Amino acid sequence: MLNLILFGPPGAGKGTQSEKIIARYNLIHLSTGDLLRSEIQAGSELGLRAKTLMDQGLLVPDEVVIGMIDHKLRDHRDAAGFIFDGFPRTVKQSEALDELLATYDQSISVMIALVVDDSELLSRLLNRGKTSGRPDDQNEELISKRIHEYNSKTKPVADYYQQQGKFVPIEGIGEIETIFAEINKAIDSVTSK
Ligand code: AMP
């Protein structure tokens, strides 16, 4: 099984690259941001609570996203592998993911991190906001808050996987296909081990 974490700040290109990775490696896509937006759309209790935090650019509680991932892993026991996108975002979520995967005799194969500087992220997200309809992409202050949440709570997640020898940084600025080729190299070096 290939269990891949696609890591990087908001606007790094995780959505674009994950679509390409899924198509090539036949993985199940688990994006906690997408799952939360579905809950909001459905008007669920969980969605309502998450929306208040998402509208402020803050992370939703660890228990909420860990519970969602737990359900999805159970739903797809026969998958060829998973791509985790926007999760884990805290060290607590990383520890919970390791524990969940261990119950299936599985583990994370690799973390691929897209590296993009803050000023490029801001302009990409403001641009995306013009077409995505995402309220959290349409306000500079909110975008800065999300990048701040990333730098303070999410960046330590990279160290967590680095300590396990699973962290692969990739330059996230450039042609989509060039970046994808680098990602493929990283994945293929793990799967050929
Ligand atoms: P994303 O689509 O990944 O940019 O996520 C949008 C928003 O959903 C984030 O700004 C957070 O408020 C929330 N969110 C998504 N994934 C997580 C996560 N793993 N942990 C906490 N909050 C999350």
Side-chain angles (χ1 to χ4, degrees):
M1 240 178 138
L2 175 64
N3 295 309
L4 185 154
I5 298 173
L6 191 58
F7 190 74
K14 298 190 294 294
T16 306
Q17 293 296 340
S18 58
E19 276 178 28
K20 299 175 75 65
I21 298 168
I22 293 154
R24 177 153 179 168
Y25 295 93
N26 193 25
L27 304 175
I28 301 278
H29 185 212
L30 295 183
S31 154
T32 41
D34 285 352
L35 293 171
L36 289 166
R37 281 184 288 276
S38 304
E39 293 285 342
I40 292 173
Q41 205 103 57
S44 71
E45 170 88 33
L46 188 155
L48 282 176
R49 273 188 289 134
K51 187 177 186 314
T52 319
L53 293 160
M54 290 165 77
D55 284 350
Q56 298 173 74
L58 299 171
L59 295 183
V60 306
D62 288 328
E63 292 69 27
V64 172
V65 286
I66 292 165
M68 292 194 313
I69 293 288
D70 186 8
H71 280 134
K72 289 288 167 188
L73 291 178
R74 269 189 253 178
D75 287 349
H76 296 283
R77 282 171 198 268
D78 51 356
F82 294 93
I83 172 165
F84 298 94
D85 168 2
F87 177 90
R89 255 178 160 101
T90 63
V91 171
K92 191 167 169 204
Q93 291 177 22
S94 313
E95 289 165 352
L97 178 59
D98 277 354
E99 280 171 28
L100 281 175
L101 289 173
T103 63
Y104 300 99
D105 280 330
Q106 292 295 326
S107 61
I108 289 298
S109 316
V110 63
M111 165 182 267
I112 292 177
L114 295 173
V115 181
V116 177
D117 62 69
D118 288 359
S119 62
E120 169 75 11
L121 295 174
L122 179 62
S123 74
R124 281 189 190 180
L125 288 169
L126 284 171
N127 232 334
R128 182 168 87 183
K130 290 180 194 153
T131 51
S132 72
R134 279 182 57 167
D136 59 350
D137 282 346
Q138 290 174 27
N139 168 320
E140 193 164 330
E141 199 184 320
L142 208 54
I143 292 173
S144 298
K145 189 82 154 287
R146 283 157 65 208
I147 295 175
H148 178 264
E149 281 282 90
Y150 173 82
N151 285 327
S152 62
K153 295 182 185 155
T154 306
K155 249 192 181 160
V157 170
D159 300 332
Y160 180 88
Y161 291 97
Q162 194 149 33
Q163 278 158 20
Q164 296 185 12
K166 295 178 176 172
F167 177 76
V168 181
I170 286 178
E171 169 71 57
I173 299 182
E175 292 293 324
I176 291 174
E177 288 305 329
T178 312
I179 298 167
F180 184 52
E182 288 301 312
I183 293 176
N184 286 334
K185 264 194 238 165
I187 296 176
D188 294 343
S189 81
V190 173
T191 51
S192 65
K193 267 184 195 163

